[in-house]
Amino acid sequence: MNFNSHSDMIVAHAVAVVNALTPGERRGRPYQIPADRRTAVAEAVPLRREITDAEAAELAGYALDLRAVFEAVAKGDLDHAAGTLNRLLTDTRARPHLSRHDGEPWHVHFHGADGTFGADYAASCATGLAIVLGSDLHDRLGVCTADRCDRVYVDVSRNGTRRFCSTACQNRVKTAAFRART
Ligand SMILES: [Zn+2]
């Protein structure tokens, strides 16, 4: 995609957060948020420090709103997606803020320096999705169309024809279609 690399990264993180922290179905099986939410977050996205369960819980709350954005885009309801994102951007106090830490050069964070972990992380995710929604690649956010799966994805393919969360789901659908034919 044509976004800068930081935007691409935070969109990928938004996908990972939604898929780890919202219940539903995954690749043909029911999916529950793991009881150990801290580990679920740590496995989904890179963290600079260990987080508490309360911090993971706060992010899980925002993950439901982030999921709603993917669902709205998948249904073609861009107005709803935009409204949800604008509310999230306000609630999480998203704003650009130049930061320098851990030996890195100055770079832009999409949250201030005084927020909570969950709100700050959600502010970044919401900003990344807002950049996608405000671009001509706005239809690249999706929800897996395979049977019994509702995991989300961002389509970074050249022609924008992705329909599944994973190769696993794509193969499940191919196999089912093959069985139906034979
Ligand atoms: Zn899937």
Side-chain angles (χ1 to χ4, degrees), residues 25-28 143-153 163-170 172:
E25 295 178 304
R26 180 177 182 273
R27 301 180 188 180
V143 179
C144 186
T145 58
D147 191 32
R148 287 175 292 128
C149 185
D150 62 7
R151 300 298 91 183
V152 304
Y153 62 85
R163 291 168 53 220
F164 306 110
C165 70
S166 59
T167 318
C169 274
Q170 185 174 18
R172 285 200 300 123

Side-chain angles (χ1 to χ4, degrees), residues 21-87:
L21 294 179
T22 62
E25 295 178 304
R26 180 177 182 273
R27 301 180 188 180
R29 293 197 178 87
Y31 178 80
Q32 291 298 330
I33 306 172
D36 181 1
R37 288 176 292 201
R38 295 165 41 175
T39 303
V41 176
E43 286 175 356
V45 292
L47 299 174
R48 285 205 304 275
R49 62 166 175 84
E50 284 201 20
I51 59 169
T52 66
D53 186 59
E55 288 174 324
E58 186 191 21
L59 183 57
Y62 286 118
L64 294 172
D65 294 320
L66 293 166
R67 164 176 282 283
V69 175
F70 286 86
E71 289 175 347
V73 173
K75 279 187 276 188
D77 191 348
L78 294 184
D79 292 355
H80 186 72
T84 302
L85 275 176
N86 276 339
R87 182 171 54 76

Side-chain angles (χ1 to χ4, degrees), residues 93-173:
R93 302 178 65 226
R95 59 200 185 281
H97 177 84
L98 278 164
S99 181
R100 188 171 62 176
H101 53 85
D102 300 326
E104 297 173 28
W106 286 106
H107 56 279
V108 178
H109 282 184
F110 294 123
H111 55 78
D114 57 351
T116 59
F117 167 83
D120 284 353
Y121 211 100
S124 281
C125 292
T127 303
L129 298 185
I131 289 169
V132 175
L133 203 72
S135 78
D136 54 2
L137 297 173
H138 55 258
D139 57 354
R140 294 300 186 92
L141 305 178
V143 179
C144 186
T145 58
D147 191 32
R148 287 175 292 128
C149 185
D150 62 7
R151 300 298 91 183
V152 304
Y153 62 85
V154 56
D155 183 356
V156 295
S157 68
R158 182 178 292 271
N159 51 7
T161 52
R162 182 166 170 178
R163 291 168 53 220
F164 306 110
C165 70
S166 59
T167 318
C169 274
Q170 185 174 18
N171 289 339
R172 285 200 300 123
V173 170

